[in-house]
Amino acid sequence: MKSFEILGNKDTRSGFGAGLLEAGKNNPNVVALCADLTGSLMMNDFQDQFPERFFQAGIAEANMMGVAAGLALGGKIPFTGTFANFSTGRVYDQIRQSIAYSDSNVKICASHAGLTLGEDGATHQILEDLGLMKMLPNMVVINPCDYNQTKAATIAIANHHGPVYLRFGRPKWPVFISEDTPFVIGKALMLSEGADVSIFATGHMVWKAIEAGHILAEKGISAEVINIHTIKPLDDDAVLASVLKTRCAVTAEEHQMNGGLGDSIAQLLSRKQPTPLEMVAVNDSFGESGKPEELLVKYGLDTVNIVEAAEKAIARKNG
Amino acid sequence: MSNLSNLPEIATQIRRDILRMVHAVNSGHPGGSLGCADYLTALYFHYMKHNPEAFEISGNEQDIFVLSNGHISPVYYSALARSGYFPVSELATFRKLNTRLQGHPTTHEGLPGVRVATGSLGQGLSVAVGFALQKKLDNDSSTVWTLTGDGELQEGQIWEAVMFAAHRKVDNLIVAVDFNQKQIDGTTGDVMGITELSSKFQAFGWTVLEMDGNDWDNIHQVIPQAQSQLGQGKPIVIIMKTEMGQGVDFMMGTHAWHGKAPNDEQLEKALNQLPVTTLGDY
């Protein structure tokens, strides 16, 4: 199992803020909208640097999505910013009609996703957003794993024409992807090659998957850890190539089991390459208040859960 | 740009198109379409600065129209075809399999003239505001026009957009509200009162004009008046009184024809009230 140096401890939303600023410098057509969460989304630098290209929408997300669609259809590249809950479920029909169906070049950027939002509790901890967004035809869905990858993804989506959902989070989290790692939409990132089990992880759970890989290595199990930052379009080839080698798999995500990354991979495997698969995800439940790490433990999204899932998947393969 | 004197005849032809289109597929929304035929004729054949032959979704340096109440697609499609966006013969494909003229307007099938999908109500105004902001950013002095239903004003998103447009001083936008006071379940007064409409918009900081959308003299008075108010720091709304079913006596004064097509006999009766024009049927 390859070792990863921790390069820092930073929130992924700051990666978004830094990426947005850079995207704004790269392209004068990049504009940004925010629904009264500019500080939380780390959009202040963009706002300060490009005040005429920043639109405060107030606490009115539905209108923000429509205005973004109009800006995009007129030729701009709008990035909308609010919490993941208000970026998706609250405005689903606006996204569906004015953005996805209308092929508006809007980048829906969603912070505070998942359990690691923490103390604010279940009203704000959306665990259904990946599923909601991936079901929309024409929508690209991305969930980067650390600060550097979020920054790179933000810059990359500005250069991709079409609607994108970019999901990131609130807490400080280990930074381990190097700054110069290219971000290619739809291309899985091989983190560590292995022979016994494939671990496909997205978002914050990628770091947990790396930790699990080390624990498995101590037990003599060789895990292949792959970072699926793009849930849709899924890198089918990378997934299939890996399971062809390992013949069993685990998925790990900070999302409902229904509709998430695991669901996408299960669908692919059952059609193309039936393989024992274990899913580390929230099992049909809302979250609650607590510290991010406490919540991951309580809801079965900790390192140990990935280790157990890997052992179970291997046992099924060998059984 | 058509002569003012030609507009009533064009509107009559558009009304014939509407009736024949919905009759052919026994579905669609004739009532509101007939009511707004004069306004769309006025925009597409006289007041809007646009170039149908060189259509692009972005519409830079051109006036843009967004139909927020997408269900009145028959009048929209007829106005687009008759003003040169696509062949008039294509109106015959309305709502049929593989058509570009979907039940509700969409960009998805590539129909020239349509810039965003609408139909799920309350969204078009926000999109129009977005287009208006884009024009401002690009120093494009053309105008964004949009039409909403009056029942549509019951959607909360409309008022988010109304607040936003005033706050951002979106003054390159002219919104018309199709004030026919009818919706699917009955009168707007019975279903969900939208009283004091002018005062509501005024309170939000908009310039408000009122117009009879089925009276040509009044149309030619109020639209130029609205245009003269552009660029003065406020969004503009025209509360446009119309008669649902305008032009066909038995379709007027009722909400019954909101989403119902005439049968053969009713079509004939209706077309008899809208004499054949020099433009000819599709």
Side-chain angles (χ1 to χ4, degrees):
Chain A
M1 179 68 202
K2 194 179 152 194
S3 283
F4 286 83
E5 188 194 345
I6 297 187
L7 308 167
N9 202 32
K10 289 171 154 179
D11 44 349
T12 50
R13 57 189 164 132
S14 288
F16 164 68
L20 179 63
L21 181 64
E22 195 158 323
K25 287 177 183 165
N26 293 344
N27 188 336
N29 280 326
V30 168
V31 300
L33 302 92
C34 186
D36 196 31
L37 287 168
T38 312
S40 299
L41 270 284
M42 304 296 178
M43 296 170 86
N44 297 107
D45 288 345
F46 184 94
Q47 182 183 18
D48 293 344
Q49 191 104 7
F50 306 110
E52 74 290 353
R53 284 153 58 188
F54 178 82
F55 300 95
Q56 172 60 264
I59 310 168
E61 295 83 5
N63 179 57
M64 176 169 75
M65 292 301 169
V67 171
L71 280 160
L73 292 163
K76 299 295 168 193
I77 306 170
F79 284 66
T80 65
T82 182
F83 290 166
N85 193 21
F86 314 138
S87 294
T88 57
R90 187 179 185 93
V91 290
Y92 197 63
D93 190 44
Q94 283 77 17
I95 293 174
R96 182 175 181 274
Q97 176 172 280
S98 297
I99 297 177
Y101 188 40
S102 296
D103 197 20
S104 308
N105 190 21
V106 176
K107 314 306 169 188
I108 302 163
C109 302
S111 184
H112 292 55
L115 291 170
T116 54
L117 163 82
E119 292 81 352
D120 276 352
T123 53
H124 288 49
Q125 287 162 342
I126 193 161
L127 296 164
E128 303 82 30
D129 54 326
L130 297 177
L132 286 167
M133 290 296 112
K134 81 176 190 187
M135 275 201 295
L136 289 171
N138 216 13
M139 183 66 70
V140 168
V141 179
I142 298 173
N143 185 19
C145 62
D146 75 351
Y147 173 96
N148 283 340
Q149 191 173 73
T150 309
K151 182 179 175 188
T154 306
I155 295 164
I157 63 175
N159 299 321
H160 165 89
H161 186 92
V164 174
Y165 178 64
L166 180 69
R167 175 206 221 221
F168 40 91
R170 171 173 176 260
K172 289 197 176 1
W173 210 254
V175 182
F176 55 97
I177 302 286
S178 68
E179 262 185 299
D180 57 359
T181 303
F183 186 89
V184 184
I185 295 170
K187 191 89 187 128
L189 189 62
M190 173 66 76
L191 293 177
S192 186
E193 292 193 35
D196 299 331
V197 58
S198 304
I199 304 177
F200 301 110
T202 194
H204 289 141
M205 295 301 286
V206 176
W207 180 249
K208 297 281 179 194
I210 291 170
E211 288 182 333
H214 287 299
I215 294 171
L216 288 164
E218 284 166 19
K219 297 181 173 205
I221 296 168
S222 162
E224 176 148 300
V225 180
I226 297 181
N227 167 209
I228 308 283
H229 49 66
T230 307
I231 313 314
K232 184 187 169 189
L234 187 64
D235 189 346
D236 292 5
D237 292 345
V239 173
L240 292 172
S242 181
V243 300
L244 218 57
K245 184 169 57 174
T246 62
R247 295 187 299 112
C248 68
V250 171
T251 57
E253 61 194 306
E254 199 184 340
H255 189 271
Q256 299 287 356
M257 198 177 288
N258 280 329
L261 170 67
D263 169 300
S264 287
I265 288 183
Q267 213 184 98
L268 172 70
L269 294 182
S270 61
R271 281 187 291 118
K272 297 280 177 66
Q273 181 66 44
T275 305
L277 173 69
E278 294 295 324
M279 298 184 195
V280 175
V282 176
N283 189 7
D284 202 23
S285 157
F286 290 105
E288 65 182 83
S289 293
K291 292 196 177 78
E293 287 289 352
E294 292 171 346
L295 290 163
L296 292 180
V297 169
K298 175 162 178 177
Y299 287 85
L301 270 65
D302 201 7
T303 307
V304 64
N305 304 105
I306 300 176
V307 171
E308 285 168 10
E311 289 173 325
K312 200 169 163 192
I314 292 168
R316 283 173 61 198
K317 165 174 77 173
N318 295 334
Chain B
M1 190 185 286
S2 293
N3 265 328
L4 293 193
S5 58
N6 294 339
L7 299 182
E9 188 186 21
I10 297 170
T12 297
Q13 186 57 53
I14 286 176
R15 288 193 164 93
R16 289 182 65 89
D17 291 347
I18 293 165
L19 291 161
R20 295 179 66 242
M21 285 162 74
V22 298
H23 168 263
V25 288
N26 193 28
S27 74
H29 297 78
S33 292
L34 292 166
C36 292
D38 302 321
Y39 185 63
L40 261 68
T41 301
L43 291 192
Y44 275 89
F45 292 86
H46 190 74
Y47 290 104
M48 270 173 37
K49 181 187 76 183
H50 62 134
N51 182 1
E53 283 75 32
F55 173 77
E56 281 181 30
I57 292 219
S58 53
N60 295 336
E61 304 297 331
Q62 299 200 31
D63 281 10
I64 279 185
F65 174 78
V66 176
L67 180 73
S68 193
N69 49 337
H71 58 275
I72 66 165
S73 56
V75 65
Y76 187 32
Y77 293 148
S78 173
L80 288 175
R82 296 279 172 188
S83 61
Y85 282 92
F86 57 86
V88 169
S89 58
E90 200 171 339
L91 294 175
T93 69
F94 174 62
R95 283 183 173 242
K96 292 178 181 165
L97 192 62
N98 299 322
T99 185
R100 299 196 293 179
L101 280 62
Q102 292 288 302
H104 293 81
T106 173
T107 56
H108 200 253
E109 322 299 332
L111 185 69
V114 180
R115 293 195 157 86
V116 67
T118 54
S120 176
L121 295 174
Q123 299 186 28
L125 178 55
S126 300
V127 175
V129 169
F131 268 115
L133 291 175
Q134 171 267 318
K135 287 192 180 298
K136 281 178 171 286
L137 283 171
D138 290 342
N139 297 313
D140 172 349
S141 61
S142 39
T143 302
V144 178
W145 306 75
T146 187
L147 175 63
T148 77
D150 54 358
E152 185 176 8
L153 302 184
Q154 292 155 3
E155 291 282 6
Q157 186 182 347
I158 290 280
W159 299 100
E160 294 183 5
V162 167
M163 199 183 308
F164 180 92
H167 180 76
R168 296 289 312 197
K169 301 184 171 32
V170 180
D171 57 5
N172 52 346
L173 172 72
I174 299 177
V175 178
V177 174
D178 179 19
F179 191 60
N180 61 22
Q181 302 179 74
K182 290 177 189 67
Q183 57 191 113
I184 297 181
D185 275 359
T187 66
T188 50
D190 286 342
V191 175
M192 182 56 65
I194 45 168
T195 54
E196 310 271 351
L197 205 44
S198 296
S199 311
K200 280 192 172 91
F201 275 98
Q202 270 156 7
F204 276 96
W206 284 53
T207 295
V208 183
L209 300 167
E210 295 184 7
M211 180 174 92
D212 184 335
N214 299 130
D215 179 317
W216 284 108
D217 289 342
N218 197 229
I219 288 171
H220 295 314
Q221 187 190 335
V222 176
I223 295 181
Q225 204 183 331
Q227 289 176 304
S228 75
Q229 304 275 323
L230 289 163
Q232 296 186 14
K234 287 179 165 194
I236 299 157
V237 63
I238 301 172
I239 311 295
M240 179 174 80
K241 191 174 171 299
T242 69
E243 183 64 48
M244 197 182 260
Q246 176 71 26
V248 178
D249 58 6
F250 63 90
M251 291 185 172
M252 293 161 68
T254 167
H255 65 273
W257 296 90
H258 166 88
K260 189 176 97 171
N263 62 26
D264 294 351
E265 190 186 331
Q266 289 161 333
L267 176 70
E268 195 186 336
K269 203 173 151 195
L271 291 178
N272 284 339
Q273 298 174 34
L274 298 161
V276 179
T277 73
T278 56
L279 297 170
D281 289 334
Y282 64 81

